């Protein structure tokens, strides 16, 4: 459905602070735990887990990219000539940490091809908008 109203301004603020102190950022979009549909909320909060279908459903991946990833990359960092995607203090994007923890044949695993597609589609959007 998109990002809440505070998300992008908070990212832009983090980038402005990083620039002020000559710090370079690598944002991480996903953790492997996001794909655990059976993870109890008390482990990491009520929004942890439950995103297994994003890697499996092309329409949901497209919605994620169109309503979250691209708007994030194109968001203007106030007081600068840059967007989040083009700011020189954002040096890389980590799409998912330790994806191998959700790849393979386990109960909570995704087929390798689905995880590769999930990562590749976001990487493509990042490359086109940064």
């Amino acid at each position: 459905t998109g990002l809440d109203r505070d998300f992008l301004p908070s990212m832009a603020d983090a980038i402005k602070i990083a620039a002020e102190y000559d710090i370079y950022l690598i944002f991480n979009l996903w953790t492997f735990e996001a794909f655990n549909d059976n993870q109890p909320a008390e482990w990491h909060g009520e929004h942890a887990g439950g995103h297994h279908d994003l890697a499996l459903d092309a329409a949901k991946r497209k919605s994620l990219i169109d309503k979250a990833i691209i708007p994030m990359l194109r968001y203007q960092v106030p007081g600068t000539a840059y967007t989040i995607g083009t700011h020189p203090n954002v040096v890389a994007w980590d799409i998912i940490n330790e994806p191998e923890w959700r790849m393979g044949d386990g109960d909570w695993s995704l087929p390798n091809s689905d995880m590769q597609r999930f990562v590749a589609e976001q990487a493509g959007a990042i490359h086109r908008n940064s």
Side-chain angles (χ1 to χ4, degrees), residues 14-23 25 87 89:
I15 292 168
K16 287 171 66 174
I17 292 168
E20 181 180 343
Y21 291 97
D22 200 28
I23 295 170
L25 302 173
H87 200 284
N89 287 78

PDB file of all heavy atoms in Angstrom, residues 14-23 25 87 89:
ATOM      1  N   ALA A  14      18.064  11.359   8.076  1.00  0.00           N
ATOM      2  CA  ALA A  14      19.257  10.545   8.346  1.00  0.00           C
ATOM      3  C   ALA A  14      20.351  10.862   7.331  1.00  0.00           C
ATOM      4  O   ALA A  14      21.533  10.964   7.681  1.00  0.00           O
ATOM      5  CB  ALA A  14      18.907   9.056   8.312  1.00  0.00           C
ATOM      6  N   ILE A  15      19.970  11.040   6.086  1.00  0.00           N
ATOM      7  CA  ILE A  15      20.939  11.359   5.041  1.00  0.00           C
ATOM      8  C   ILE A  15      21.549  12.745   5.279  1.00  0.00           C
ATOM      9  O   ILE A  15      22.760  12.926   5.144  1.00  0.00           O
ATOM     10  CB  ILE A  15      20.283  11.265   3.649  1.00  0.00           C
ATOM     11  CG1 ILE A  15      19.931   9.802   3.342  1.00  0.00           C
ATOM     12  CG2 ILE A  15      21.194  11.851   2.570  1.00  0.00           C
ATOM     13  CD1 ILE A  15      19.023   9.624   2.147  1.00  0.00           C
ATOM     14  N   LYS A  16      20.736  13.707   5.662  1.00  0.00           N
ATOM     15  CA  LYS A  16      21.253  15.054   5.921  1.00  0.00           C
ATOM     16  C   LYS A  16      22.240  15.043   7.090  1.00  0.00           C
ATOM     17  O   LYS A  16      23.286  15.699   7.038  1.00  0.00           O
ATOM     18  CB  LYS A  16      20.091  16.009   6.177  1.00  0.00           C
ATOM     19  CG  LYS A  16      19.330  16.345   4.909  1.00  0.00           C
ATOM     20  CD  LYS A  16      18.054  17.102   5.153  1.00  0.00           C
ATOM     21  CE  LYS A  16      18.297  18.472   5.705  1.00  0.00           C
ATOM     22  NZ  LYS A  16      17.053  19.256   5.812  1.00  0.00           N
ATOM     23  N   ILE A  17      21.934  14.293   8.139  1.00  0.00           N
ATOM     24  CA  ILE A  17      22.848  14.176   9.276  1.00  0.00           C
ATOM     25  C   ILE A  17      24.143  13.492   8.843  1.00  0.00           C
ATOM     26  O   ILE A  17      25.238  13.910   9.204  1.00  0.00           O
ATOM     27  CB  ILE A  17      22.172  13.431  10.444  1.00  0.00           C
ATOM     28  CG1 ILE A  17      21.044  14.276  11.020  1.00  0.00           C
ATOM     29  CG2 ILE A  17      23.191  13.061  11.523  1.00  0.00           C
ATOM     30  CD1 ILE A  17      20.123  13.530  11.967  1.00  0.00           C
ATOM     31  N   ALA A  18      24.005  12.434   8.047  1.00  0.00           N
ATOM     32  CA  ALA A  18      25.197  11.732   7.546  1.00  0.00           C
ATOM     33  C   ALA A  18      26.078  12.679   6.740  1.00  0.00           C
ATOM     34  O   ALA A  18      27.303  12.701   6.913  1.00  0.00           O
ATOM     35  CB  ALA A  18      24.790  10.531   6.701  1.00  0.00           C
ATOM     36  N   ALA A  19      25.475  13.483   5.874  1.00  0.00           N
ATOM     37  CA  ALA A  19      26.247  14.421   5.061  1.00  0.00           C
ATOM     38  C   ALA A  19      26.951  15.452   5.940  1.00  0.00           C
ATOM     39  O   ALA A  19      28.111  15.803   5.692  1.00  0.00           O
ATOM     40  CB  ALA A  19      25.339  15.099   4.042  1.00  0.00           C
ATOM     41  N   GLU A  20      26.262  15.912   6.966  1.00  0.00           N
ATOM     42  CA  GLU A  20      26.847  16.915   7.871  1.00  0.00           C
ATOM     43  C   GLU A  20      28.105  16.398   8.563  1.00  0.00           C
ATOM     44  O   GLU A  20      29.048  17.141   8.801  1.00  0.00           O
ATOM     45  CB  GLU A  20      25.797  17.306   8.919  1.00  0.00           C
ATOM     46  CG  GLU A  20      26.258  18.351   9.896  1.00  0.00           C
ATOM     47  CD  GLU A  20      25.176  18.708  10.905  1.00  0.00           C
ATOM     48  OE1 GLU A  20      23.988  18.403  10.670  1.00  0.00           O
ATOM     49  OE2 GLU A  20      25.534  19.286  11.942  1.00  0.00           O
ATOM     50  N   TYR A  21      28.128  15.115   8.873  1.00  0.00           N
ATOM     51  CA  TYR A  21      29.254  14.526   9.598  1.00  0.00           C
ATOM     52  C   TYR A  21      30.163  13.662   8.712  1.00  0.00           C
ATOM     53  O   TYR A  21      30.976  12.900   9.215  1.00  0.00           O
ATOM     54  CB  TYR A  21      28.735  13.707  10.784  1.00  0.00           C
ATOM     55  CG  TYR A  21      28.143  14.594  11.854  1.00  0.00           C
ATOM     56  CD1 TYR A  21      26.775  14.809  11.914  1.00  0.00           C
ATOM     57  CD2 TYR A  21      28.959  15.239  12.768  1.00  0.00           C
ATOM     58  CE1 TYR A  21      26.229  15.645  12.883  1.00  0.00           C
ATOM     59  CE2 TYR A  21      28.430  16.070  13.739  1.00  0.00           C
ATOM     60  CZ  TYR A  21      27.055  16.268  13.790  1.00  0.00           C
ATOM     61  OH  TYR A  21      26.524  17.101  14.741  1.00  0.00           O
ATOM     62  N   ASP A  22      30.005  13.786   7.391  1.00  0.00           N
ATOM     63  CA  ASP A  22      30.824  13.051   6.429  1.00  0.00           C
ATOM     64  C   ASP A  22      30.753  11.535   6.661  1.00  0.00           C
ATOM     65  O   ASP A  22      31.769  10.839   6.681  1.00  0.00           O
ATOM     66  CB  ASP A  22      32.270  13.540   6.467  1.00  0.00           C
ATOM     67  CG  ASP A  22      33.032  13.178   5.210  1.00  0.00           C
ATOM     68  OD1 ASP A  22      32.404  13.047   4.142  1.00  0.00           O
ATOM     69  OD2 ASP A  22      34.259  12.982   5.292  1.00  0.00           O
ATOM     70  N   ILE A  23      29.535  11.053   6.833  1.00  0.00           N
ATOM     71  CA  ILE A  23      29.273   9.626   7.022  1.00  0.00           C
ATOM     72  C   ILE A  23      28.581   9.112   5.761  1.00  0.00           C
ATOM     73  O   ILE A  23      27.751   9.799   5.166  1.00  0.00           O
ATOM     74  CB  ILE A  23      28.371   9.393   8.256  1.00  0.00           C
ATOM     75  CG1 ILE A  23      29.103   9.821   9.524  1.00  0.00           C
ATOM     76  CG2 ILE A  23      27.925   7.933   8.349  1.00  0.00           C
ATOM     77  CD1 ILE A  23      28.225   9.858  10.755  1.00  0.00           C
ATOM     78  N   LEU A  25      26.266   6.064   3.982  1.00  0.00           N
ATOM     79  CA  LEU A  25      25.234   5.119   4.394  1.00  0.00           C
ATOM     80  C   LEU A  25      25.037   3.988   3.395  1.00  0.00           C
ATOM     81  O   LEU A  25      25.136   4.188   2.184  1.00  0.00           O
ATOM     82  CB  LEU A  25      23.898   5.853   4.556  1.00  0.00           C
ATOM     83  CG  LEU A  25      23.871   7.015   5.539  1.00  0.00           C
ATOM     84  CD1 LEU A  25      22.540   7.737   5.445  1.00  0.00           C
ATOM     85  CD2 LEU A  25      24.125   6.517   6.948  1.00  0.00           C
ATOM     86  N   HIS A  87      21.626  10.733  -3.696  1.00  0.00           N
ATOM     87  CA  HIS A  87      22.462  11.457  -2.728  1.00  0.00           C
ATOM     88  C   HIS A  87      23.833  10.798  -2.611  1.00  0.00           C
ATOM     89  O   HIS A  87      23.941   9.575  -2.469  1.00  0.00           O
ATOM     90  CB  HIS A  87      21.790  11.512  -1.354  1.00  0.00           C
ATOM     91  CG  HIS A  87      22.341  12.590  -0.502  1.00  0.00           C
ATOM     92  ND1 HIS A  87      23.568  12.498   0.123  1.00  0.00           N
ATOM     93  CD2 HIS A  87      21.852  13.809  -0.199  1.00  0.00           C
ATOM     94  CE1 HIS A  87      23.796  13.608   0.785  1.00  0.00           C
ATOM     95  NE2 HIS A  87      22.773  14.431   0.613  1.00  0.00           N
ATOM     96  N   ASN A  89      25.880  10.601  -0.224  1.00  0.00           N
ATOM     97  CA  ASN A  89      26.178   9.944   1.048  1.00  0.00           C
ATOM     98  C   ASN A  89      25.491   8.593   1.174  1.00  0.00           C
ATOM     99  O   ASN A  89      25.703   7.884   2.151  1.00  0.00           O
ATOM    100  CB  ASN A  89      25.840  10.846   2.226  1.00  0.00           C
ATOM    101  CG  ASN A  89      26.836  11.973   2.358  1.00  0.00           C
ATOM    102  OD1 ASN A  89      26.759  12.951   1.608  1.00  0.00           O
ATOM    103  ND2 ASN A  89      27.795  11.823   3.253  1.00  0.00           N
TER     104      ASN A  89
END
